[in-house]
Amino acid sequence: MEGGIANGDQKRARLREALPGGGPQATSRALARLDDARAIVLVEGFSDQIALETLAARRGRNLEREGISVVPIGGAQAIGRFLTRFGPRGWDAKLAGLCDAGEEDVFRRSLERAGFGSRLTRLDLERLGFHVCVDDLEDELIRALGPATVEDVVDSQGDLGSFRAFQKQPAWRGRRVEAQLRRFMGSADRRKLRYARLLVDALDLEHVPPPLDGVLAHV
């Protein structure tokens, strides 16, 4: 039994080490693969890219072979620059995107300035292929799975003890477990990246958060 536990810990450690870096590195990697892209999906961060690519694979799609590139732009405030580069006044590529609810207005205004229309509504954004996570990617995934299943995933990674300790912190004690899980996963960059893949892998494909399916359906 002890050997099995050790092997499990070693496997999880290797998986953590295998994750490439996020931030500007993730953006540079994605941009370097754009030469043959027929469609570009603009997302706020690397965890969004991981989630979409993982979901596509689970649905039997290979985005790279299809000529679809998911580009993490490094935060919503950068969306205007990317729309200028790849939108109708630039490359004129087929575009889609994903953002958090708190950044919806930033995406909407940037799309309007880039020539995608005026007075755009949420439905207009979706028609253009841009979908909004409520409140964010982690919240969508936690609600789709339910907190008990998410805790099972956390336990499978050896993180349940850390999560229980987090729940006892004064600022989070007594809060809804969904909010606790969301904050726990977002409190460390590498953890956020790991769980983007793990939670999508745990999804029932009949109950995928609509924003994720909507973006992939558009491209």
Side-chain angles (χ1 to χ4, degrees):
M1 179 63 71
E2 291 180 358
I5 292 173
N7 288 338
D9 289 343
Q10 292 168 1
K11 181 179 180 180
R12 287 190 288 268
R14 286 196 297 271
L15 287 172
R16 290 167 181 166
E17 291 171 358
L19 277 171
Q25 295 177 2
T27 303
S28 296
R29 286 194 303 270
L31 291 175
R33 298 194 297 266
L34 282 183
D35 288 346
D36 298 321
R38 67 166 184 81
I40 301 170
V41 181
L42 303 173
V43 298
E44 290 189 60
F46 189 28
S47 61
D48 305 289
Q49 178 187 4
I50 290 171
L52 286 172
E53 291 177 345
T54 302
L55 178 59
R58 288 201 61 202
R59 292 213 178 276
R61 298 181 63 179
N62 185 314
L63 297 184
E64 184 175 358
R65 288 181 183 174
E66 293 179 35
I68 299 167
S69 183
V70 183
V71 178
I73 62 175
Q77 299 302 321
I79 185 64
R81 175 163 55 90
F82 284 86
L83 291 173
T84 297
R85 179 174 178 179
F86 299 121
R89 297 169 182 165
W91 193 341
D92 198 20
K94 182 179 181 65
L95 295 179
L98 189 71
C99 70
D100 297 344
E103 309 297 348
E104 180 178 358
D105 285 344
V106 174
F107 267 57
R108 177 185 292 110
R109 290 193 300 270
S110 296
L111 284 162
E112 291 173 348
R113 285 195 294 267
F116 287 85
S118 60
R119 298 183 180 180
L120 299 175
T121 65
R122 173 77 66 87
L123 289 177
D124 291 329
L125 296 183
E126 292 176 357
R127 175 178 52 81
L128 291 167
F130 287 79
H131 291 257
V132 181
C133 288
V134 181
D135 289 315
D136 54 22
L137 174 67
E138 290 75 25
D139 186 49
E140 290 277 4
L141 293 172
I142 291 166
R143 282 189 286 109
L145 289 166
T149 299
V150 176
E151 285 196 2
D152 287 343
V153 175
V154 171
D155 192 17
S156 75
Q157 298 302 299
D159 288 338
L160 191 58
S162 296
F163 176 60
R164 294 291 183 237
F166 173 83
Q167 287 179 298
K168 295 176 183 177
Q169 293 180 10
W172 290 94
R173 190 180 303 137
R175 301 278 292 274
R176 293 177 66 247
V177 67
E178 292 89 345
Q180 293 171 336
L181 285 164
R182 179 182 169 212
R183 177 56 181 164
F184 177 74
M185 290 177 179
S187 62
D189 184 54
R190 303 293 283 186
R191 183 186 294 152
K192 184 173 183 176
L193 301 182
R194 281 194 298 121
Y195 279 102
R197 177 178 293 117
L198 292 165
L199 296 186
V200 171
D201 275 336
L203 284 172
D204 177 345
L205 290 180
E206 296 298 319
H207 298 93
V208 173
L212 299 182
D213 258 346
V215 167
L216 291 179
H218 190 78
V219 295

